[in-house]
């Protein structure tokens, strides 16, 4: 499932983003108070970004673009901007990264690459950069990073493999990501790649803990169940934390 084609994977993640509980689709949390929760919602055949208010009942819709799928939201550390993905409704269609203010205003297109799937945006802790997944120069996917305004895109990984769903360490010096069903880490400039897991199971969707010393991730077992696991940031001491049928895309709340 996780090693399927890029198009099928994007479809899986978009559907998952829409169906998972609010808060489950974001990348690792930054330190601070608990604000609103952005999430993807599928309604009347369309997927959009919504926000649920913190501490009270009520939601508001942030995006409403006809014939487009908008999901995979990620807050910046200041809570002032949301990066997200807009895709055509076709499974193998174009996907670009956008950002807008927390109230839904000032939408800005950050990538514009026809026929390319650019997904899973992740803000750096200082808000100056966004890491993301792209197949712009690879028939599969690689990890890229760009300035927060969409300029200066730089490819960090390359080669015949699927690299996806990056996440920044809290100090901004490392990026963790999944590659061909295993968890990897590298410096924020793409150097010093290190493989952290090497099992026979698919392991994906890694996120750093708020203190940077742990990594949460999902593992697809031989029984076709997906559970959330936790390990040290060097890949050691792996512990299964959930035992449901499908538990994936973990997020780590700061306390």
């Amino acid at each position: 499932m996780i090693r399927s084609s890029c198009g099928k994977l994007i479809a899986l993640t978009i559907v998952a983003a829409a169906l998972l509980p609010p808060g489950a689709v974001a990348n690792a949390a930054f330190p601070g108070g608990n604000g609103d929760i952005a999430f993807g919602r599928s309604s009347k055949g369309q997927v959009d970004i919504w926000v649920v208010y913190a501490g009270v009942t009520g939601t508001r819709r942030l995006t409403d673009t006809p014939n487009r799928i908008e999901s995979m939201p990620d807050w910046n550390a200041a809570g002032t901007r949301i990066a997200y993905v807009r895709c055509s409704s076709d499974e193998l269609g174009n996907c670009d990264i956008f950002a807008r203010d927390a109230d839904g205003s000032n939408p800005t297109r950050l990538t514009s690459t026809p026929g390319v799937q650019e997904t899973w945006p992740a803000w750096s802790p200082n808000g100056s950069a966004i890491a993301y997944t792209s197949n712009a120069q690879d028939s599969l996917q690689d990890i890229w990073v760009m300035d927060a305004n969409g300029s200066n895109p730089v490819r960090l990984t390359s080669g015949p493999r699927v690299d996806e769903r990056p996440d920044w360490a809290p100090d901004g010096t490392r990026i963790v990501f999944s590659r061909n069903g295993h968890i990897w880490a590298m410096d924020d400039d793409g150097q010093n790649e290190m493989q952290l897991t090497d099992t026979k199971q698919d392991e994906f969707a890694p996120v750093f803990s708020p203190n940077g010393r742990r990594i949460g991730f999902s593992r697809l077992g031989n029984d076709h169940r997906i559970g959330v696991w936790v390990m040290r940031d060097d890949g050691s001491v792996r512990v299964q934390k959930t035992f449901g049928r499908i538990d994936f895309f973990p997020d780590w709340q700061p306390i």
Side-chain angles (χ1 to χ4, degrees), residues 24-93:
V25 299
N27 291 336
F30 298 114
N34 294 333
D36 297 342
I37 300 171
F39 63 100
R41 171 178 286 176
S42 178
S43 177
K44 298 180 180 179
Q46 185 167 320
V47 179
D48 293 297
I49 305 295
W50 289 68
V51 166
V52 59
Y53 300 111
V56 298
T57 300
T59 61
R60 72 178 186 273
R61 188 176 194 162
L62 291 188
T63 69
D64 187 10
T65 308
N67 302 314
R68 292 293 183 268
I69 296 171
E70 294 171 310
S71 193
M72 304 183 190
D74 187 60
W75 293 96
N76 67 354
T80 58
R81 296 278 283 171
I82 298 175
Y84 62 99
V85 173
R86 177 186 292 175
C87 300
S88 66
S89 57
D90 179 14
E91 179 180 315
L92 298 178

Side-chain angles (χ1 to χ4, degrees), residues 28-31 167-174 207-216 230-233 252-255:
F30 298 114
D167 188 65
W168 295 85
D171 63 4
T173 62
R174 301 176 72 203
V207 290
F208 274 105
S209 65
N211 66 13
R213 295 195 293 268
R214 296 286 189 274
I215 294 173
V230 172
M231 62 184 174
R232 292 179 180 172
D233 66 341
W252 213 306
Q253 179 189 23
I255 57 174

Side-chain angles (χ1 to χ4, degrees), residues 174-209:
R174 301 176 72 203
I175 295 174
V176 69
F177 61 99
S178 58
R179 169 180 290 169
N180 282 352
H182 301 298
I183 308 302
W184 287 67
M186 62 183 171
D187 293 345
D188 63 341
D189 60 0
Q191 301 299 308
N192 298 318
E193 289 185 351
M194 176 184 296
Q195 185 170 350
L196 301 182
T197 67
D198 187 17
T199 70
K200 294 182 179 179
Q201 283 75 43
D202 276 309
E203 293 157 325
F204 58 102
V207 290
F208 274 105
S209 65

